[in-house]
Amino acid sequence: MARPLLDTVETFTRLAGHNRVAMLLFRLGDRQAFGINVFKVREVLRRPKLERMPSMHDLVAGSFDYRGNTIPVIDLAAAMGYPPMASVDTAHLIVTEFNRSVQGFLVSDVDRIVHVDGAQMAAPPPALGYGSRVNAVTRMDGDLIAIVDVEQVLASVDPRAVEISERVQQAAHLQIASNRRLLLVDDSLVARTQLVDLFRKLDLECTVAKDGSEALQCLRNLATGPESERVALVVSDIEMPSMDGYALTRAIREDPQLRHLKVLLHSSLSGVFNEAMVARVGADRFIAKFQPDVLATAVLELLPG
């Protein structure tokens, strides 16, 4: 039987507005706890019967019919260096939706939902050995929780090239902007790589920050430096350790030196929830990942003429 995870959206909306996020905790084979944002989760199931084709990626355990649609199932345990779960009868399946796609992740066991303070999340120390597939860690009740970068895991299975239509590229080359510099903020390595590539194709100058705190300090430093080095637009992810995109936008709007900046929030999570939060914190636009033409067009519209 499916077990719905979200009873009401309002509770999690209040959390996100205060640099807090609800995380679903799970395990991959030992006592180490991992987490994923609840808003990426549709539901949790027992491992269904999976169909596997020889052409599938090594990390894809197979596919199954999910509510009338065939979706891929990624063995998250194997992706994170643990024994594969594809043939384990007691395995659980976390069905997720993000980056405009639906997929499942096989895990050993699902624990509970916890509320995490974004300020207590930090980049993982290299000594943990998770590489780019864990983008943040935090502690709860003395236990370490590793936040999995599921976007990076999905990209390793299904890499997507950054392609911009000729129409949008022509618009970028014809546009005369008084300032073509922007600040990109994202804690995911794969997202930063994709977006830097996109902005270069638009002939835009791009400064990069890995989370909201780093971005805010960068903006304050630039505000007191030469005018020629200042940015006109901030393109920020929403889910980030230390300071999320909502808190970053609030801080920008409350700073007299920064409040004039345009802010575009760019997230793998879509829906009415984000649209409401964008208005609440004072961002100028929200774009769901990853739609190169849509994002490029929005960036060009927000740059000063």
Side-chain angles (χ1 to χ4, degrees), residues 19-303:
N19 201 31
R20 294 180 64 85
V21 63
M23 289 281 176
L24 174 66
L25 300 188
F26 58 89
R27 302 186 190 278
L28 297 175
D30 61 14
R31 297 184 67 252
Q32 171 66 60
F34 293 88
I36 180 175
N37 189 317
V38 164
F39 262 104
K40 290 182 178 177
V41 179
R42 277 194 170 188
E43 56 187 338
V44 175
L45 309 170
R46 286 287 188 179
R47 180 184 64 82
K49 182 179 179 181
L50 302 175
E51 299 290 336
R52 195 177 194 287
M53 302 295 290
S55 59
M56 288 179 171
H57 190 280
D58 290 344
L59 293 178
V60 177
S63 63
F64 81 109
D65 182 82
Y66 175 70
R67 303 188 182 280
N69 295 300
T70 300
I71 68 169
V73 174
I74 298 169
D75 192 331
L76 189 56
M80 299 298 294
Y82 288 83
M85 302 297 300
S87 59
V88 178
D89 291 337
T90 58
H92 288 74
L93 180 70
I94 301 176
V95 180
T96 66
E97 182 176 8
F98 60 91
N99 281 6
R100 303 169 68 242
S101 67
V102 178
Q103 52 282 311
F105 289 97
L106 279 179
V107 302
S108 175
D109 191 26
V110 175
D111 189 357
R112 66 192 191 281
I113 294 175
V114 297
H115 298 160
V116 178
D117 183 353
Q120 300 302 315
M121 296 168 62
L128 291 179
Y130 290 123
S132 60
R133 291 185 175 174
V134 166
N135 55 6
V137 293
T138 188
R139 286 194 176 275
M140 180 161 292
D141 300 327
D143 294 329
L144 182 72
I145 299 173
I147 312 303
V148 179
D149 186 351
V150 286
E151 293 178 50
Q152 198 278 344
V153 175
L154 180 60
S156 68
V157 171
D158 181 23
R160 299 179 183 180
V162 178
E163 298 180 355
I164 309 175
S165 68
E166 184 176 347
R167 172 186 60 80
V168 174
Q169 289 191 58
Q170 288 180 344
H173 297 323
L174 291 173
Q175 183 184 42
I176 300 176
S178 59
N179 186 341
R180 299 182 69 84
R181 290 176 295 279
L182 59 84
L183 176 66
L184 164 63
V185 194
D186 204 303
D187 63 323
S188 171
L189 175 60
V190 65
R192 292 197 303 271
T193 301
Q194 288 177 327
L195 293 172
V196 168
D197 185 19
L198 171 67
F199 297 140
R200 283 175 177 166
K201 290 179 178 179
L202 298 176
D203 294 331
L204 302 178
E205 297 179 34
C206 183
T207 300
V208 177
K210 297 178 182 178
D211 60 50
S213 296
E214 183 180 330
L216 186 60
Q217 187 59 54
C218 177
L219 290 172
R220 287 172 174 167
N221 291 341
L222 291 174
T224 58
E227 186 172 348
S228 60
E229 297 179 5
R230 298 174 191 174
V231 301
L233 171 64
V234 177
V235 177
S236 176
D237 186 22
I238 291 176
E239 301 173 276
M240 295 180 292
S242 182
M243 177 184 284
D244 66 22
Y246 296 131
L248 172 61
T249 305
R250 285 183 187 272
I252 289 172
R253 292 295 176 247
E254 292 170 359
D255 190 317
Q257 291 185 303
L258 305 177
R259 62 177 52 153
H260 66 282
L261 291 173
K262 298 291 186 180
V263 179
L264 185 154
L265 293 178
H266 187 229
S267 173
S268 59
L269 303 175
S270 59
V272 175
F273 162 76
N274 276 315
E275 299 288 352
M277 286 303 302
V278 164
R280 182 179 298 182
V281 300
D284 295 279
R285 198 77 61 89
F286 167 76
I287 302 293
K289 291 181 180 178
F290 180 56
Q291 307 171 78
D293 265 15
V294 176
L295 177 60
T297 299
V299 166
L300 294 175
E301 290 175 353
L302 290 173
L303 285 173

